[in-house]
Amino acid sequence: MNSSYSRGMSEAAKDTGAVLIAAFEGWNDACQAATNAVRHLVKRYESREIRHIRCDDFYDYQVARPMLCHVSGRTNLIWPQTTFYDITLDAGKRIYAQIAPEPNYRWKEYCSQSLAIADELDVNRIITLGSMFSDCPHTRPLPIAVSDGDCQCEGDRSYNGPVGIPTVLDVAAAQQGFAHSSMWVSIPQYLGSDECSAGTIRLLDALGKYIGFIFDTADLKQKAEQWKAQASILVRCNDQLHDYVEHLEHDYDLQQKAEAEASLGAPQAEQLVKEAEAFLRQMGN
């Protein structure tokens, strides 16, 4: 898809406002918070599989192993694959979703095939979802970073370093004329790899705010409360961890206060933000 064709596609797609949500298992999916957002949408709303990307060219089966499944007395192998869904939300609003393990090989070709499918579906905007382990407390709203193309938005910070397939897909989408956004939630690294419904809810809330729709997350909220309660029990039973979480809470509250005051536009508030960020960088070293 050349650039001139891509620009024409994007202009035409604005009429439909079609959005493709993409999430990938693996390095970009701490506690499965991102992929579980897609799974929740598929389970909660009317959905159907509409496209797949053949797996053989993109996966190392010693890393992304096939799964053995027994159904009705028959033995089946389920291979890693990319699945695209057409999801109809309440009130007739439609979105598309892509879910897959992060590919092991040929990322450029993989992104090219993904965007070709998005083009076929007249998608206007690609929104990638991700979750990452971070130094943040489970007792506060999990930090969410949202970036919209070249504009850094809520919670977003400049980043230099290794990236995963969501970022590569973002860059490829931009190069081919798609509007693109990314949403990342931070997960407390001290809690291990159990599923984090609190992170999934944060992503769905951010996504809903972005597309103008309130997602039903009632079944996730109970799981999120259980996750928080279990985390609190763990912290109470470990004095060292308790002190560490208190330190994270202090940093979090300081950062929130600084950002709130900075939003007033006062010069002294801006200076407070700089001091708070410098303090957090120092504590991280």
Side-chain angles (χ1 to χ4, degrees):
M1 184 165 54
N2 61 46
S3 59
S4 60
Y5 178 75
S6 298
R7 286 194 293 271
M9 174 279 301
S10 295
E11 290 299 322
K14 288 180 180 179
D15 295 333
T16 63
V19 172
L20 172 66
I21 315 302
F24 300 91
E25 299 170 359
W27 190 65
N28 321 274
D29 190 32
C31 293
Q32 299 80 58
T35 52
N36 278 348
V38 172
R39 294 188 185 99
H40 176 78
L41 296 178
V42 169
K43 179 181 178 181
R44 170 60 183 82
Y45 299 98
E46 180 182 348
S47 62
R48 60 190 180 94
E49 295 184 19
I50 55 173
R51 298 284 195 285
H52 297 93
I53 293 179
R54 184 183 177 191
C55 55
D56 290 352
D57 294 335
F58 300 110
Y59 292 103
D60 178 350
Y61 295 134
Q62 290 183 325
V63 177
R65 292 184 179 273
M67 301 293 292
L68 190 65
C69 179
H70 297 279
V71 179
S72 301
R74 299 184 61 181
T75 301
N76 298 287
L77 281 173
I78 301 176
W79 295 89
Q81 70 172 353
T82 299
T83 303
F84 291 80
Y85 291 93
D86 182 344
I87 304 173
T88 301
L89 306 176
D90 297 342
K93 191 176 184 70
R94 168 184 287 179
I95 60 174
Y96 298 106
Q98 173 182 3
I99 186 171
E102 182 177 60
N104 304 110
Y105 307 120
R106 303 175 64 197
W107 282 14
K108 292 180 181 179
E109 174 61 24
Y110 180 85
C111 290
S112 178
Q113 290 194 27
S114 297
L115 294 175
I117 291 174
D119 183 31
E120 292 175 11
L121 299 174
D122 286 333
V123 163
N124 175 40
R125 178 173 294 275
I126 310 291
I127 302 178
T128 55
L129 306 180
S131 52
M132 57 187 173
F133 289 113
S134 181
D135 292 324
C136 59
H138 72 279
T139 53
R140 302 291 189 270
L142 298 181
I144 190 91
V146 180
S147 65
D148 186 3
D150 295 329
C151 171
Q152 293 185 348
C153 304
E154 177 186 352
D156 187 41
R157 295 291 183 269
S158 297
Y159 169 75
N160 297 294
V163 298
I165 195 67
T167 302
V168 176
L169 183 60
D170 287 336
V171 172
Q175 292 173 344
Q176 296 198 18
F178 290 88
H180 61 98
S181 305
S182 65
M183 300 179 180
W184 287 80
V185 65
S186 294
I187 308 294
Q189 54 83 21
Y190 57 86
L191 293 180
S193 59
D194 290 342
E195 291 189 8
C196 179
S197 293
T200 298
I201 291 174
R202 288 285 281 165
L203 285 173
L204 288 172
D205 286 347
L207 177 60
K209 180 180 179 181
Y210 195 92
I211 68 172
F213 187 85
I214 300 176
F215 293 110
D216 181 357
T217 58
D219 59 330
L220 293 175
K221 290 179 180 178
Q222 182 178 359
K223 295 179 181 179
E225 288 300 320
Q226 293 174 347
W227 171 84
K228 185 175 180 179
Q230 291 172 350
S232 295
I233 292 173
L234 177 65
V235 170
R236 286 199 299 269
C237 294
N238 186 316
D239 290 341
Q240 185 175 1
L241 183 57
H242 179 272
D243 293 342
Y244 173 65
V245 172
E246 282 194 339
H247 169 74
L248 294 179
E249 291 172 337
H250 176 268
D251 291 351
Y252 185 102
D253 294 342
L254 179 63
Q255 182 72 32
Q256 291 299 303
K257 180 180 179 181
E259 291 180 356
E261 294 188 10
S263 66
L264 301 177
Q268 62 269 30
E270 295 179 2
Q271 180 61 32
L272 182 59
V273 170
K274 294 179 181 179
E275 292 175 358
E277 291 179 341
F279 172 78
L280 294 178
R281 286 195 298 269
Q282 181 181 3
M283 295 305 297
N285 294 331

